[in-house]
Structure formats: structure tokens, C-alpha cells
Amino acid sequence: MSFLTPPQVMLPVVGGRHVIIPTKKPERDKPEALELSETELMKERFAKLLLGEDMSGGGRGVCTALAISNAITNLAATVFGELWKLEPLAPQKKSMWQREMDWLLCVSDSIVELIPSLQQFPGGGTVEVMMTQQRSDLYVLPTGNTLKQILVPHSHEGLPYLLKKNGGCLSRKVPPNCLSEETRKRLQQCRECTNQIFKAAVAINSSVLSEMEVPQVYLESLPKSEKACLGEILHRYITADQFSPDYLLDYLDLSSEYTTLEIANRIESAVHFWRLKCQKKKLNRAKTGSWSGTVKGLRGDIEKSKLFANRADTLLTNLKLYFPGLPQTVLDMNKIQFNKDVGQSILESYSRVMESLAFNLMARIDDLLHVDDATRQRVAAGKISMLTRRGSTGSHALQKQKFVQGHSRSKTLVHR
């Protein structure tokens, strides 16, 4: 089957700027220079957003919603892309993240909705007017300080960490005498906090993506039959009389991320194929008339399509629950690419960034605790082996002493 090519994240284009070195230093102090520099950075960032990342002005830029989504994604990649250690962010990175995220999130302040409100006149009496307030779904946006809660601080004994990536592998390191109980407790507390953020980010991201409209280009790219969407095996199990999503997931080959994502794409395409089929048959049913002889057949086909769509949707939900770190499907990427709602783009990209960061932090904490458990078992095995050797040495010495004493006693008896 053929799907749309997944859209690639568009990297921001850096406009050319000439650096002019003046012969004399400007008569101003450093804070003003820093403030001017941040102002210039903000102007450049919003110029890119207004031009849709096309600094040439040729009209080839993307829509504002996708431009902001790309900006948040690229900022997160710049700040956290090389974060291979369980340690606080560098001050420069932290400052960059908070400053530029504040700039990008301030766009949401202008996304408002009208609500009825009562206004009082100075002389008495009231009148109902429409007032503006920030759109209600944007209230879930966290503040710029949220990241501080999930970064692991240094400990007095030297925080255990994962060494930087080298040759495609991560070198794990813990102290020779294992982690202290206090350090393990702190790591577990950090993991619990990060897990709560991860769950909230997943819920927000899933909710926003479900509310986004399915692009027409995706629906037009769907195969012409449900078998072409699913393949022979998936189609046979989903359309069978008895259906068990858990049994089907156990049967499928989910050994790699690639095959799992491919199966998710197939199931998702089938869900929308059957739903689109229901809509077309309902239109045909409305045109046919309620007393036509074909109405019963149409009704049965519609009910079957609904049933199969619900089964496929349940299977897809369970698949995503079993694999929370699964990359985005083709439909999700198309929704992000063709979405026009700026508020939804901000919510989706920010929650996706927090979800990815929280997942990576939990994975590294789990790796560290796993290495510490293995180190503890190795140390305990070494102690047992040492005690065994000592006990064996003492037993041999005792036997030798008894042998010497018995030999000397026999000599004494013979001498007598």
C-alpha cells in the first residue's frame, strides 16, 4: 500500500547578517548591549515565523501553525539533543530554552474566544457584552520553569551519570561500592515526578491530535480496499466472528520498532477507510429512500463497517499503550503538516517535546538503576565467594592441625 511521504521537520533558515566591528566602543554599558542583542534575536525569530521560515520573501514559506511547530521542535533539538547525562542543563542552554520558549508561547496570549459578561454603567444598570479571554484549551500550557522539576541535581557524593555517547554506545557508570540508599531513593523520586509529566504530556498530545481534522490528502491516499490497508492476516483476524485484541497483538511480529510502526500505520488506515466507507453508504442510503429494498443491505453494511472500525481502533489503542515510545504515525505527521490552528500546533509540539524528554530521562534513570542492581549482585557474589574461600582455607588448616597432632601422638605412643 502507498502512503504520503512523511513530512520532514523544516529547519529554520538563518538570515545573513554582516558583522561590523566599530573603531570605537559604543558609549553604553553591558546590560543595554545584552538587552539589544535579545531584542534583535526576538525580531529575527518572529520575522521567520511571519515569513513561514522563508527569509527570501519568495512566498515559499509554510503556514504560521507549522512554522511555530517547527520552531518549538528545533529549539528542543538544539537544547536537549546532546543531553546524554543525568545532570542539570548548562546555564546557557537553560537561558536559551526559557527565553525562546517564552517568545514562542506568548503567541498563545492572542488566541482568544468571546464569552458573555455583564458590564455595569456608572449610573446603575447592567448590560451584557462579549469579552475576550484566552482560549480555554490553552490553559494547560505549562510555564517555562516546568523543566526545573524534572532535571536531576548533583548530589554531595557525585551524581551517577551516563557517559556521553561514544561509537554508538552509552557507557554506564556507577560508583564501585554501588549507589547509596539515599541516592537510589532520590533517583526513584525523580523518576516518579518525570513519569507524571510524561503521562500528562501523552494525554495532552493524544487529545490534540484526535481533535485535529484528518487532511483530505490523507483520505485520498488510502488504498481501495480494507485488505490492501491491513494485509491478509490482520484483515482475517479483525473481520472474524470472534475478536480479541490482546491475542492478536501476541500473535503479531512486534520485535522491532519499524515493524510495529508499519502495523500501526496499516491499522490506522483501515480505521479511516471503514469510517469513510460508512459516510459514503449513509449518503447513498439517504438518496435511495427509506422504503427501498436495498436499505436493509446498506444498513447491514454500515453496521459491519462500524464494528470493524471500532475493532481496529481498539487494537490501535492497545498497541500504543504497549509501546508508549512509538514514533508518530503517517496520519499524525500529516495532521501536523496540514493543520492551520496555531493554538493546536503550540499544544501539540510543546506536549510532544515534553513527552520525548520525559521518556528519555526515565529510560536513563531505569538504565542506571539496572546497572546498580547488577553491580550490587556482583559485589554480593564476590563477598560470598570470598567467605567461601576463607571457610575452605580455615577447614584445610584445621584438618592439617588435627593431622599433625595425631601424627605426633602416634609417634609418642610408639616411642613408649
Side-chain angles (χ1 to χ4, degrees):
M1 76 184 197
S2 60
F3 287 104
L4 289 174
T5 303
Q8 298 180 351
V9 176
M10 302 182 64
L11 296 176
V13 181
V14 180
R17 292 188 295 173
H18 298 285
V19 179
I20 302 176
I21 303 177
T23 56
K24 295 182 180 180
K25 294 182 179 180
E27 296 181 356
R28 58 190 180 189
D29 51 6
K30 293 183 179 180
E32 291 181 356
L34 179 61
E35 182 180 356
L36 180 61
S37 176
E38 290 189 359
T39 303
E40 292 296 329
L41 287 173
M42 184 172 66
K43 288 181 179 179
E44 183 178 359
R45 174 53 56 88
F46 278 99
K48 293 176 185 177
L49 294 179
L50 290 174
L51 294 174
E53 300 175 350
D54 178 24
M55 297 301 288
S56 66
R60 300 177 181 177
V62 299
C63 67
T64 305
L66 182 57
I68 291 181
S69 176
N70 288 339
I72 294 176
T73 303
N74 293 329
L75 175 62
T78 302
V79 175
F80 307 117
E82 295 298 325
L83 187 62
W84 294 103
K85 297 181 180 181
L86 285 175
E87 62 181 9
L89 279 175
Q92 298 84 358
K93 294 283 188 179
K94 184 186 298 185
S95 174
M96 177 184 181
W97 170 259
Q98 293 177 344
R99 180 185 66 246
E100 299 198 18
M101 279 306 305
D102 286 341
W103 294 346
L104 295 171
L105 293 181
C106 74
V107 177
S108 63
D109 296 336
S110 302
I111 303 175
V112 297
E113 59 185 0
L114 295 174
I115 60 170
S117 178
L118 293 178
Q119 183 178 3
Q120 292 185 351
F121 290 110
T126 59
V127 62
E128 184 174 352
V129 296
M130 301 300 291
M131 302 291 292
T132 60
Q133 71 172 17
Q134 188 181 31
R135 210 168 71 185
S136 57
D137 61 331
L138 300 177
Y139 287 150
V140 298
L141 280 173
T143 62
N145 295 326
T146 303
L147 189 63
K148 295 180 181 179
Q149 302 174 9
I150 58 177
L151 290 178
V152 182
H154 285 288
S155 64
H156 62 280
E157 63 183 57
L159 183 71
Y161 57 89
L162 299 181
L163 293 179
K164 195 171 182 180
K165 206 171 186 180
N166 185 13
C169 299
L170 281 174
S171 301
R172 303 174 182 87
K173 183 177 180 180
V174 296
N177 56 345
C178 306
L179 303 178
S180 66
E181 292 300 328
E182 179 184 356
T183 302
R184 285 183 63 91
K185 184 177 179 181
R186 288 177 57 249
L187 284 173
Q188 290 169 351
Q189 289 175 348
C190 289
R191 192 195 184 286
E192 273 304 312
C193 179
T194 308
N195 189 32
Q196 296 302 319
I197 296 175
F198 173 76
K199 290 179 179 179
V202 169
I204 295 171
N205 191 263
S206 300
S207 175
V208 174
L209 285 173
S210 64
E211 292 175 0
M212 287 184 181
E213 185 178 355
V214 179
Q216 187 63 32
V217 290
Y218 176 82
L219 296 176
E220 293 174 355
S221 69
L222 293 177
K224 302 303 180 182
S225 67
E226 53 264 33
K227 281 189 179 181
C229 292
L230 293 169
E232 184 66 29
I233 296 176
L234 279 173
H235 180 265
R236 184 170 69 249
Y237 277 93
I238 291 178
T239 58
D241 294 336
Q242 301 295 329
F243 173 73
S244 173
D246 294 332
Y247 175 79
L248 182 54
L249 288 178
D250 292 337
Y251 175 78
L252 295 174
D253 178 18
L254 305 176
S255 56
S256 68
E257 184 180 272
Y258 175 80
T259 56
T260 305
L261 183 60
E262 178 66 20
I263 290 173
N265 284 325
R266 287 178 175 274
I267 297 172
E268 198 165 46
S269 67
V271 171
H272 290 281
F273 177 85
W274 273 314
R275 288 177 179 173
L276 189 63
K277 193 175 180 180
C278 281
Q279 294 176 1
K280 291 180 179 179
K281 288 185 176 181
K282 284 181 180 179
L283 291 176
N284 293 334
R285 177 182 173 183
K287 293 178 181 178
T288 304
S290 58
W291 296 102
S292 173
T294 60
V295 170
K296 292 183 179 180
L298 286 174
R299 183 180 300 173
D301 291 341
I302 291 174
E303 294 301 325
K304 282 185 178 180
S305 296
K306 284 183 178 180
L307 175 63
F308 297 154
N310 291 335
R311 285 181 175 182
D313 196 17
T314 302
L315 183 63
L316 182 63
T317 302
N318 291 358
L319 182 64
K320 290 182 177 180
L321 288 176
Y322 290 160
F323 299 93
L326 195 67
Q328 289 178 324
T329 60
V330 173
L331 175 60
D332 291 342
M333 289 188 287
N334 276 273
K335 283 184 175 182
I336 295 171
Q337 183 185 16
F338 294 100
N339 174 53
K340 305 297 182 183
D341 191 310
V342 176
Q344 287 182 338
S345 289
I346 293 176
L347 282 173
E348 191 282 326
S349 56
Y350 196 99
S351 59
R352 172 163 40 87
V353 165
M354 289 293 101
E355 175 185 345
S356 176
L357 177 60
F359 181 82
N360 290 336
L361 285 176
M362 286 194 300
R364 289 164 192 166
I365 292 175
D366 289 340
D367 285 344
L368 193 60
L369 293 175
H370 176 73
V371 172
D372 183 60
D373 290 336
T375 305
R376 287 171 179 266
Q377 293 177 3
R378 187 170 59 251
V379 170
K383 290 180 179 179
I384 293 174
S385 177
M386 186 179 297
L387 291 175
T388 303
R389 287 198 301 269
R390 287 180 180 178
S392 176
T393 303
S395 176
H396 285 307
L398 182 60
Q399 291 178 1
K400 184 177 180 181
Q401 183 180 1
K402 290 182 177 179
F403 174 78
V404 171
Q405 290 177 355
H407 186 65
S408 60
R409 182 179 179 185
S410 62
K411 281 185 177 181
T412 304
L413 293 175
V414 170
H415 179 71
R416 288 180 181 179

